[in-house]
Amino acid sequence: MKRRTFLYQTSVVSLGFLSLSRCVQKGQDTAKSNVLPLKSDPEKYLDLPESFSYKIISKAGNTMSDGLRVPGRADGMGAFARADGKVVIIRNHENSPAPLENSPFGLEGELLGLVDISKLYDAGKGELPGLGGTTTLVYDEEKGEVIEEFMSLAGTYRNCAGGVTPWNSWLTCEEDTTKADGENIEKDHGYVFDVPADSIGLVEPRPIKAMGRFNHEAVAVDPQTGIIYQTEDASDSLIYRFIPENPEDLHQGGKLQALAIDNRPKLDTRNWKERGVEQGIGYSVVWQNVDEVDSPLDDLRIRGFEAGAACFARGEGMWHADGQIYFACTNGGPKNFGQIFRYDIEKEQLELFAESEDKTVLHMCDNVTIAPWGEVLVCEDNGELNRMHFINREGELRLFAVNQSSKSELTGAVFSPSGKTLFVNVQENGETVAITGPWEKLQVV
């Protein structure tokens, strides 16, 4: 992805998230009046609007090009343009060493012989290798089919979310802080790894330890400075930023900092018991240094909060947009239905944009992506009925898809560079879906 393209694709997010704030404030009646009618799927899989269709393009357990099995529990994804017109998709897999049904190496590890063990981050002594990591798919958009599929990072634990970078790669994050035990667990976990979009097989699994060891969720890169912002999936999480010594080589190290509110140390932004933050107010931010970033105790958030950092409710999806960083807190707010925050990089101000109080409108939003015409597409993760919603520039929420096949969350939603195809995972089903249709009918003038 060229730098100019990256800046354009992230710049449209600001409009979308402003709409998201207004949408939640408008409430159920207004949102319902703008719902896009869906057609009931006779297969009871995925309800979509008229003239839209879906195709399952990848399924857990199937054999990939490298002879391994498609791993289960697909999560965050990034999509990249290839010189020959094909689409490269890098897909996370949120797996621990068990259950083996999600393994790329077969139910009894019988396919481990196909892999260079040195390319596994944690081989688990050959008995319990990490089953997380990333797969790379090469997709022919004209034919609507996957032409190549292979493991691109292996041996990690619970690769949940991540983020695209200006240098044409995917930063994939471990949402796990398991420690090496001297037996079957060979390595500490809780790190970020860089997977280039042009890799043609397993990459060298090099953890970027200076970015901190914690329950990583998502990252967003400021292309102007190379600073990387990070969320943490914990009920008492912090928001971090990593200032690299060399943005072109993150392994050279850098400085990790945590977000704090000026003159309001240890601010609780979750609004669970009492209201710590109000919508529409810009809170001045200071960044405090974090030491012992590779701590074996998984205590960065605890030490950071005690030192004055602000506390957040399960930081998850994150995106950079034209000088702003947006991030979701999945169960923030007095009803635990979720919050959206915005951080203005230049002004160094944090603002609560959205706080859902009606789950029929929006219920625990998680992954987000941006449509080519500028609307926000939101995926829900609530364990009940999971949907995708478009939110336009006027703040009108329109239902786009409903998972009728299971209670699984929809993950990793991302548009192809051409804008013709939307890719999304039905995580617990183990399936990746390509959605096509008359997108021009959804565009906002």
Side-chain angles (χ1 to χ4, degrees):
M1 184 184 297
K2 294 181 179 178
R3 178 183 175 87
R4 183 171 60 186
T5 304
F6 181 85
L7 288 168
Y8 169 75
Q9 289 188 356
T10 56
S11 69
V12 296
V13 182
S14 56
L15 289 174
F17 271 100
L18 285 168
S19 298
L20 176 58
S21 174
R22 294 197 296 270
C23 159
V24 176
Q25 291 175 11
K26 282 184 176 183
Q28 182 176 356
D29 293 338
T30 302
K32 281 186 175 180
S33 69
N34 293 288
V35 166
L36 187 67
L38 303 189
K39 181 180 179 181
S40 180
D41 181 7
E43 301 297 324
K44 298 187 183 302
Y45 186 81
L46 192 65
D47 290 351
L48 293 169
E50 185 72 40
S51 301
F52 281 82
S53 61
Y54 65 85
K55 180 180 182 180
I56 298 173
I57 61 172
S58 179
K59 188 172 179 62
N62 287 353
T63 301
M64 297 192 291
S65 308
D66 55 8
L68 301 176
R69 302 286 188 260
V70 177
R73 292 182 57 77
D75 209 293
M77 295 192 292
F80 308 84
R82 207 166 75 163
D84 61 1
K86 303 299 188 294
V87 180
V88 174
I89 305 164
I90 303 180
R91 176 180 59 187
N92 277 358
H93 295 275
E94 194 180 6
N95 297 322
S96 299
L100 293 178
E101 286 80 3
N102 294 321
S103 174
F105 312 120
L107 290 177
E108 298 180 358
E110 65 273 12
L111 301 178
L112 274 170
L114 299 176
V115 178
D116 178 353
I117 297 297
S118 69
K119 290 292 185 72
L120 299 184
Y121 174 66
D122 190 336
K125 304 294 185 182
E127 298 294 330
L128 289 172
L131 304 182
T134 64
T135 49
T136 295
L137 298 80
V138 180
Y139 187 74
D140 187 323
E141 202 165 17
E142 296 301 319
K143 295 181 178 179
E145 62 184 34
V146 174
I147 59 175
E148 193 174 3
E149 189 172 18
F150 54 88
M151 206 77 194
S152 46
L153 176 74
T156 51
Y157 286 7
R158 296 195 66 191
N159 295 72
C160 193
V164 296
T165 74
W167 51 89
N168 209 44
S169 71
W170 173 253
L171 289 176
T172 178
C173 304
E174 287 188 305
E175 188 192 339
D176 189 290
T177 54
T178 300
K179 279 190 55 61
D181 63 1
E183 297 180 2
N184 287 329
I185 303 173
E186 300 179 17
K187 302 281 186 69
D188 290 345
H189 294 266
Y191 300 115
V192 177
F193 298 79
D194 198 351
V195 181
D198 61 359
S199 62
I200 57 175
L202 285 174
V203 302
E204 182 182 354
R206 298 177 62 196
I208 308 171
K209 294 188 176 182
M211 290 183 68
R213 179 176 176 271
F214 53 88
N215 276 295
H216 287 274
E217 182 69 28
V219 303
V221 183
D222 176 5
Q224 299 292 348
T225 63
I227 294 175
I228 304 172
Y229 296 81
Q230 307 181 78
T231 56
E232 177 180 28
D233 193 347
S235 61
D236 55 349
S237 64
L238 305 186
I239 299 298
Y240 304 88
R241 74 175 184 182
F242 175 65
I243 306 175
E245 290 287 342
N246 180 0
E248 296 183 0
D249 183 3
L250 302 181
H251 295 282
Q252 290 188 20
K255 182 185 299 182
L256 187 68
Q257 298 179 322
L259 184 152
I261 303 301
D262 193 22
N263 294 319
R264 294 190 66 182
K266 302 169 65 172
L267 178 64
D268 189 341
T269 72
R270 299 172 295 185
N271 289 348
W272 284 348
K273 297 180 180 179
E274 59 183 31
R275 184 158 290 280
V277 291
E278 300 286 349
Q279 288 183 241
I281 297 176
Y283 297 90
S284 295
V285 164
V286 293
W287 290 93
Q288 59 184 42
N289 293 336
V290 179
D291 59 8
E292 298 181 63
V293 301
D294 194 23
S295 170
L297 302 178
D298 183 25
D299 62 349
L300 269 63
R301 69 189 186 285
I302 298 170
R303 289 188 287 111
F305 182 71
E306 288 302 316
C311 174
F312 296 86
R314 290 189 59 200
E316 296 214 51
M318 177 177 264
W319 205 274
H320 172 271
D322 194 23
Q324 318 291 320
I325 297 293
Y326 299 88
F327 59 92
C329 293
T330 297
N331 64 341
K335 294 189 177 181
N336 302 112
F337 292 157
Q339 299 167 313
I340 298 288
F341 286 87
R342 181 186 78 165
Y343 172 65
D344 187 302
I345 296 174
E346 182 177 359
K347 293 181 179 179
E348 295 191 308
Q349 288 188 341
L350 179 73
E351 184 176 352
L352 173 62
F353 264 116
E355 189 170 80
S356 178
E357 296 191 19
D358 187 343
K359 71 178 183 180
T360 67
V361 176
L362 194 62
H363 190 195
M364 302 181 76
C365 58
D366 190 340
N367 289 174
V368 297
T369 194
I370 304 302
W373 58 92
E375 285 190 294
V376 177
L377 180 60
V378 179
C379 297
E380 295 177 324
D381 176 16
N382 53 55
E384 298 177 17
L385 182 67
N386 286 290
R387 306 161 294 183
M388 289 191 288
H389 306 272
F390 277 111
I391 304 170
N392 69 16
R393 299 178 184 183
E394 286 69 45
E396 298 167 337
L397 183 146
R398 298 179 296 169
L399 184 63
F400 175 72
V402 179
N403 176 18
Q404 298 288 14
S405 66
S406 66
K407 293 183 179 181
S408 171
E409 63 175 303
L410 302 171
T411 63
V414 63
F415 278 90
S416 63
S418 72
K420 296 178 181 179
T421 309
L422 173 67
F423 304 102
V424 67
N425 302 308
V426 187
Q427 186 179 78
E428 299 304 329
N429 295 17
E431 294 156 342
T432 300
V433 176
I435 299 173
T436 55
W439 298 109
E440 66 277 1
K441 293 185 178 180
L442 303 180
Q443 296 185 21
V444 178
V445 179

